[in-house]
Amino acid sequence: MERIQWDEYFMAQSHLLALRSTCKRLSVGATIIKDNRIIAGGYNGSVAGEVHCTDEQCLLEDGHCIRTIHAEMNALLQCAKQGVSTDGATIYVTHFPCVNCTKSIIQAGIKTIYYARDYHNHAYAIKLLDQSGVKYERVPFDPQRIANYILDTQ
């Protein structure tokens, strides 16, 4: 059996991270890559020490959960906390990033976004990506293929 491709590997990592999500509305995972090495990962969840949406409920304001830090932001903040540069990096995300995450990704110097699913792909986020030269691409992800691969190699 052939090895899985890099895109599948990193996107699978993002999907695994999404399983740690504590938001009831949407589970998202993000993996930041540099030189084909994982430098950070994140999932959407509450601030450390705060209750989680899964423990109580989402804290909604204008239709958005304000309790939750998005997966992309958690991954970027992990890099900042550890002093790891994201300049020229790539991010794999389970869903297309929101406008605020898109702005942060651009400002962090990330050059490529790969995402598995469209999710409220905001026109302004797309405009910002296009004008900043950040490449973004939806890549197919088949979790069943990964599961079958794992089962076949055991």
Side-chain angles (χ1 to χ4, degrees):
M1 178 179 272
E2 69 180 56
R3 295 191 308 171
I4 63 173
Q5 300 299 309
W6 285 114
D7 282 345
E8 291 177 300
Y9 173 75
F10 295 131
M11 193 58 78
Q13 178 69 32
S14 294
H15 281 80
L16 283 172
L17 284 161
L19 296 175
R20 294 277 310 147
S21 170
T22 61
C23 186
K24 295 177 182 180
R25 300 177 73 223
L26 184 68
S27 296
V28 179
T31 307
I32 301 177
I33 309 305
K34 199 165 185 181
D35 301 322
N36 271 355
R37 301 286 181 258
I38 297 170
I39 61 172
Y43 53 87
N44 54 333
S46 300
V47 172
E50 170 65 341
V51 298
H52 299 285
C53 298
T54 52
D55 296 332
E56 290 188 6
Q57 61 184 10
C58 290
L59 187 56
L60 296 179
E61 190 171 286
D62 296 326
H64 298 281
C65 181
I66 62 170
R67 184 188 312 275
T68 301
I69 301 171
H70 290 188
E72 303 92 326
M73 289 303 299
N74 266 327
L76 288 169
L77 291 167
Q78 185 180 55
C79 286
K81 195 173 184 179
Q82 300 300 322
V84 177
S85 173
T86 54
D87 194 38
T90 297
I91 190 167
Y92 286 80
V93 191
T94 57
H95 297 76
F96 189 86
C98 72
V99 173
N100 286 325
C101 287
T102 297
K103 292 187 289 186
S104 296
I105 288 167
I106 293 167
Q107 285 299 99
I110 290 176
K111 297 299 179 199
T112 307
I113 301 169
Y114 293 114
Y115 63 98
R117 287 184 218 110
D118 292 311
Y119 184 75
H120 303 296
N121 300 26
H122 198 283
Y124 184 61
I126 292 168
K127 177 186 173 187
L128 289 173
L129 292 169
D130 289 340
Q131 74 186 31
S132 68
V134 172
K135 177 184 169 188
Y136 57 98
E137 181 181 339
R138 185 173 183 267
V139 294
F141 179 72
D142 181 4
Q144 190 59 54
R145 174 174 147 68
I146 302 301
N148 290 341
Y149 184 86
I150 292 168
L151 293 173
D152 289 346
T153 58
Q154 292 183 356

PDB file of all heavy atoms in Angstrom, residues 112-129:
ATOM      1  N   THR A 112       0.168  29.928   2.697  1.00  0.00           N
ATOM      2  CA  THR A 112      -0.772  29.007   2.058  1.00  0.00           C
ATOM      3  C   THR A 112      -1.771  28.489   3.081  1.00  0.00           C
ATOM      4  O   THR A 112      -1.396  28.138   4.201  1.00  0.00           O
ATOM      5  CB  THR A 112      -0.032  27.807   1.427  1.00  0.00           C
ATOM      6  OG1 THR A 112       0.997  28.287   0.569  1.00  0.00           O
ATOM      7  CG2 THR A 112      -0.984  26.926   0.634  1.00  0.00           C
ATOM      8  N   ILE A 113      -3.031  28.448   2.679  1.00  0.00           N
ATOM      9  CA  ILE A 113      -4.108  27.864   3.481  1.00  0.00           C
ATOM     10  C   ILE A 113      -4.711  26.718   2.677  1.00  0.00           C
ATOM     11  O   ILE A 113      -5.144  26.909   1.543  1.00  0.00           O
ATOM     12  CB  ILE A 113      -5.225  28.886   3.774  1.00  0.00           C
ATOM     13  CG1 ILE A 113      -4.699  30.107   4.511  1.00  0.00           C
ATOM     14  CG2 ILE A 113      -6.372  28.220   4.534  1.00  0.00           C
ATOM     15  CD1 ILE A 113      -5.694  31.258   4.581  1.00  0.00           C
ATOM     16  N   TYR A 114      -4.718  25.537   3.273  1.00  0.00           N
ATOM     17  CA  TYR A 114      -5.447  24.410   2.713  1.00  0.00           C
ATOM     18  C   TYR A 114      -6.602  24.123   3.658  1.00  0.00           C
ATOM     19  O   TYR A 114      -6.413  24.052   4.871  1.00  0.00           O
ATOM     20  CB  TYR A 114      -4.554  23.168   2.599  1.00  0.00           C
ATOM     21  CG  TYR A 114      -3.446  23.311   1.581  1.00  0.00           C
ATOM     22  CD1 TYR A 114      -2.117  23.336   1.982  1.00  0.00           C
ATOM     23  CD2 TYR A 114      -3.732  23.415   0.226  1.00  0.00           C
ATOM     24  CE1 TYR A 114      -1.098  23.458   1.055  1.00  0.00           C
ATOM     25  CE2 TYR A 114      -2.719  23.549  -0.706  1.00  0.00           C
ATOM     26  CZ  TYR A 114      -1.404  23.562  -0.290  1.00  0.00           C
ATOM     27  OH  TYR A 114      -0.398  23.689  -1.210  1.00  0.00           O
ATOM     28  N   TYR A 115      -7.786  23.969   3.118  1.00  0.00           N
ATOM     29  CA  TYR A 115      -8.961  23.703   3.949  1.00  0.00           C
ATOM     30  C   TYR A 115      -9.770  22.571   3.326  1.00  0.00           C
ATOM     31  O   TYR A 115      -9.763  22.382   2.110  1.00  0.00           O
ATOM     32  CB  TYR A 115      -9.805  24.969   4.148  1.00  0.00           C
ATOM     33  CG  TYR A 115     -10.399  25.524   2.879  1.00  0.00           C
ATOM     34  CD1 TYR A 115     -11.718  25.247   2.513  1.00  0.00           C
ATOM     35  CD2 TYR A 115      -9.659  26.336   2.026  1.00  0.00           C
ATOM     36  CE1 TYR A 115     -12.264  25.754   1.351  1.00  0.00           C
ATOM     37  CE2 TYR A 115     -10.195  26.848   0.866  1.00  0.00           C
ATOM     38  CZ  TYR A 115     -11.496  26.546   0.524  1.00  0.00           C
ATOM     39  OH  TYR A 115     -12.037  27.043  -0.641  1.00  0.00           O
ATOM     40  N   ALA A 116     -10.461  21.827   4.168  1.00  0.00           N
ATOM     41  CA  ALA A 116     -11.204  20.653   3.703  1.00  0.00           C
ATOM     42  C   ALA A 116     -12.647  20.978   3.323  1.00  0.00           C
ATOM     43  O   ALA A 116     -13.192  20.362   2.410  1.00  0.00           O
ATOM     44  CB  ALA A 116     -11.190  19.557   4.764  1.00  0.00           C
ATOM     45  N   ARG A 117     -13.267  21.927   4.028  1.00  0.00           N
ATOM     46  CA  ARG A 117     -14.681  22.232   3.781  1.00  0.00           C
ATOM     47  C   ARG A 117     -14.911  23.729   3.679  1.00  0.00           C
ATOM     48  O   ARG A 117     -14.338  24.502   4.446  1.00  0.00           O
ATOM     49  CB  ARG A 117     -15.548  21.686   4.928  1.00  0.00           C
ATOM     50  CG  ARG A 117     -15.692  20.199   4.906  1.00  0.00           C
ATOM     51  CD  ARG A 117     -16.649  19.726   6.013  1.00  0.00           C
ATOM     52  NE  ARG A 117     -16.116  18.484   6.532  1.00  0.00           N
ATOM     53  CZ  ARG A 117     -15.580  18.328   7.730  1.00  0.00           C
ATOM     54  NH1 ARG A 117     -15.550  19.318   8.581  1.00  0.00           N
ATOM     55  NH2 ARG A 117     -15.099  17.171   8.108  1.00  0.00           N
ATOM     56  N   ASP A 118     -15.776  24.089   2.766  1.00  0.00           N
ATOM     57  CA  ASP A 118     -16.236  25.472   2.718  1.00  0.00           C
ATOM     58  C   ASP A 118     -17.106  25.718   3.940  1.00  0.00           C
ATOM     59  O   ASP A 118     -17.844  24.824   4.382  1.00  0.00           O
ATOM     60  CB  ASP A 118     -17.062  25.723   1.449  1.00  0.00           C
ATOM     61  CG  ASP A 118     -16.216  25.663   0.187  1.00  0.00           C
ATOM     62  OD1 ASP A 118     -15.160  26.316   0.156  1.00  0.00           O
ATOM     63  OD2 ASP A 118     -16.626  24.972  -0.759  1.00  0.00           O
ATOM     64  N   TYR A 119     -16.997  26.933   4.501  1.00  0.00           N
ATOM     65  CA  TYR A 119     -17.834  27.282   5.641  1.00  0.00           C
ATOM     66  C   TYR A 119     -17.962  28.800   5.690  1.00  0.00           C
ATOM     67  O   TYR A 119     -17.032  29.490   6.099  1.00  0.00           O
ATOM     68  CB  TYR A 119     -17.230  26.751   6.951  1.00  0.00           C
ATOM     69  CG  TYR A 119     -18.120  27.000   8.152  1.00  0.00           C
ATOM     70  CD1 TYR A 119     -19.260  26.238   8.346  1.00  0.00           C
ATOM     71  CD2 TYR A 119     -17.826  28.010   9.053  1.00  0.00           C
ATOM     72  CE1 TYR A 119     -20.086  26.472   9.433  1.00  0.00           C
ATOM     73  CE2 TYR A 119     -18.641  28.244  10.145  1.00  0.00           C
ATOM     74  CZ  TYR A 119     -19.771  27.477  10.330  1.00  0.00           C
ATOM     75  OH  TYR A 119     -20.599  27.714  11.398  1.00  0.00           O
ATOM     76  N   HIS A 120     -19.073  29.302   5.249  1.00  0.00           N
ATOM     77  CA  HIS A 120     -19.319  30.747   5.227  1.00  0.00           C
ATOM     78  C   HIS A 120     -18.125  31.496   4.637  1.00  0.00           C
ATOM     79  O   HIS A 120     -17.654  32.479   5.224  1.00  0.00           O
ATOM     80  CB  HIS A 120     -19.620  31.282   6.632  1.00  0.00           C
ATOM     81  CG  HIS A 120     -20.777  30.638   7.310  1.00  0.00           C
ATOM     82  ND1 HIS A 120     -22.063  30.736   6.836  1.00  0.00           N
ATOM     83  CD2 HIS A 120     -20.847  29.866   8.425  1.00  0.00           C
ATOM     84  CE1 HIS A 120     -22.883  30.067   7.627  1.00  0.00           C
ATOM     85  NE2 HIS A 120     -22.173  29.521   8.590  1.00  0.00           N
ATOM     86  N   ASN A 121     -17.626  31.046   3.507  1.00  0.00           N
ATOM     87  CA  ASN A 121     -16.469  31.684   2.872  1.00  0.00           C
ATOM     88  C   ASN A 121     -16.808  33.148   2.593  1.00  0.00           C
ATOM     89  O   ASN A 121     -17.485  33.467   1.626  1.00  0.00           O
ATOM     90  CB  ASN A 121     -16.104  30.978   1.580  1.00  0.00           C
ATOM     91  CG  ASN A 121     -15.753  29.525   1.773  1.00  0.00           C
ATOM     92  OD1 ASN A 121     -16.208  28.883   2.722  1.00  0.00           O
ATOM     93  ND2 ASN A 121     -14.936  28.991   0.900  1.00  0.00           N
ATOM     94  N   HIS A 122     -16.338  34.023   3.455  1.00  0.00           N
ATOM     95  CA  HIS A 122     -16.687  35.432   3.394  1.00  0.00           C
ATOM     96  C   HIS A 122     -15.963  36.125   2.234  1.00  0.00           C
ATOM     97  O   HIS A 122     -14.757  35.941   2.047  1.00  0.00           O
ATOM     98  CB  HIS A 122     -16.337  36.104   4.726  1.00  0.00           C
ATOM     99  CG  HIS A 122     -17.016  37.409   4.920  1.00  0.00           C
ATOM    100  ND1 HIS A 122     -16.613  38.564   4.294  1.00  0.00           N
ATOM    101  CD2 HIS A 122     -18.088  37.741   5.674  1.00  0.00           C
ATOM    102  CE1 HIS A 122     -17.396  39.554   4.651  1.00  0.00           C
ATOM    103  NE2 HIS A 122     -18.312  39.076   5.492  1.00  0.00           N
ATOM    104  N   ALA A 123     -16.699  36.928   1.471  1.00  0.00           N
ATOM    105  CA  ALA A 123     -16.129  37.623   0.315  1.00  0.00           C
ATOM    106  C   ALA A 123     -14.961  38.524   0.707  1.00  0.00           C
ATOM    107  O   ALA A 123     -13.971  38.635  -0.029  1.00  0.00           O
ATOM    108  CB  ALA A 123     -17.219  38.435  -0.392  1.00  0.00           C
ATOM    109  N   TYR A 124     -15.038  39.161   1.888  1.00  0.00           N
ATOM    110  CA  TYR A 124     -13.949  40.041   2.310  1.00  0.00           C
ATOM    111  C   TYR A 124     -12.699  39.227   2.661  1.00  0.00           C
ATOM    112  O   TYR A 124     -11.579  39.643   2.350  1.00  0.00           O
ATOM    113  CB  TYR A 124     -14.378  40.915   3.497  1.00  0.00           C
ATOM    114  CG  TYR A 124     -13.319  41.913   3.899  1.00  0.00           C
ATOM    115  CD1 TYR A 124     -12.881  42.881   2.997  1.00  0.00           C
ATOM    116  CD2 TYR A 124     -12.758  41.885   5.167  1.00  0.00           C
ATOM    117  CE1 TYR A 124     -11.896  43.802   3.357  1.00  0.00           C
ATOM    118  CE2 TYR A 124     -11.784  42.799   5.541  1.00  0.00           C
ATOM    119  CZ  TYR A 124     -11.354  43.759   4.626  1.00  0.00           C
ATOM    120  OH  TYR A 124     -10.380  44.653   4.989  1.00  0.00           O
ATOM    121  N   ALA A 125     -12.867  38.069   3.259  1.00  0.00           N
ATOM    122  CA  ALA A 125     -11.721  37.198   3.552  1.00  0.00           C
ATOM    123  C   ALA A 125     -11.044  36.790   2.250  1.00  0.00           C
ATOM    124  O   ALA A 125      -9.806  36.830   2.136  1.00  0.00           O
ATOM    125  CB  ALA A 125     -12.170  35.965   4.332  1.00  0.00           C
ATOM    126  N   ILE A 126     -11.832  36.433   1.252  1.00  0.00           N
ATOM    127  CA  ILE A 126     -11.284  36.043  -0.048  1.00  0.00           C
ATOM    128  C   ILE A 126     -10.565  37.227  -0.700  1.00  0.00           C
ATOM    129  O   ILE A 126      -9.458  37.076  -1.237  1.00  0.00           O
ATOM    130  CB  ILE A 126     -12.395  35.478  -0.952  1.00  0.00           C
ATOM    131  CG1 ILE A 126     -12.879  34.138  -0.370  1.00  0.00           C
ATOM    132  CG2 ILE A 126     -11.914  35.315  -2.388  1.00  0.00           C
ATOM    133  CD1 ILE A 126     -14.140  33.596  -0.973  1.00  0.00           C
ATOM    134  N   LYS A 127     -11.144  38.417  -0.609  1.00  0.00           N
ATOM    135  CA  LYS A 127     -10.510  39.621  -1.154  1.00  0.00           C
ATOM    136  C   LYS A 127      -9.149  39.857  -0.488  1.00  0.00           C
ATOM    137  O   LYS A 127      -8.153  40.140  -1.152  1.00  0.00           O
ATOM    138  CB  LYS A 127     -11.412  40.836  -0.957  1.00  0.00           C
ATOM    139  CG  LYS A 127     -10.803  42.143  -1.415  1.00  0.00           C
ATOM    140  CD  LYS A 127     -11.676  43.331  -1.066  1.00  0.00           C
ATOM    141  CE  LYS A 127     -10.925  44.609  -1.409  1.00  0.00           C
ATOM    142  NZ  LYS A 127     -11.626  45.798  -0.952  1.00  0.00           N
ATOM    143  N   LEU A 128      -9.122  39.746   0.844  1.00  0.00           N
ATOM    144  CA  LEU A 128      -7.865  39.951   1.572  1.00  0.00           C
ATOM    145  C   LEU A 128      -6.810  38.924   1.162  1.00  0.00           C
ATOM    146  O   LEU A 128      -5.633  39.268   0.977  1.00  0.00           O
ATOM    147  CB  LEU A 128      -8.108  39.870   3.078  1.00  0.00           C
ATOM    148  CG  LEU A 128      -8.870  41.030   3.711  1.00  0.00           C
ATOM    149  CD1 LEU A 128      -9.180  40.708   5.173  1.00  0.00           C
ATOM    150  CD2 LEU A 128      -8.078  42.322   3.602  1.00  0.00           C
ATOM    151  N   LEU A 129      -7.210  37.689   1.031  1.00  0.00           N
ATOM    152  CA  LEU A 129      -6.268  36.642   0.629  1.00  0.00           C
ATOM    153  C   LEU A 129      -5.728  36.913  -0.773  1.00  0.00           C
ATOM    154  O   LEU A 129      -4.516  36.810  -1.008  1.00  0.00           O
ATOM    155  CB  LEU A 129      -6.933  35.267   0.695  1.00  0.00           C
ATOM    156  CG  LEU A 129      -7.269  34.766   2.092  1.00  0.00           C
ATOM    157  CD1 LEU A 129      -8.158  33.522   2.018  1.00  0.00           C
ATOM    158  CD2 LEU A 129      -6.005  34.489   2.891  1.00  0.00           C
TER     159      LEU A 129
END
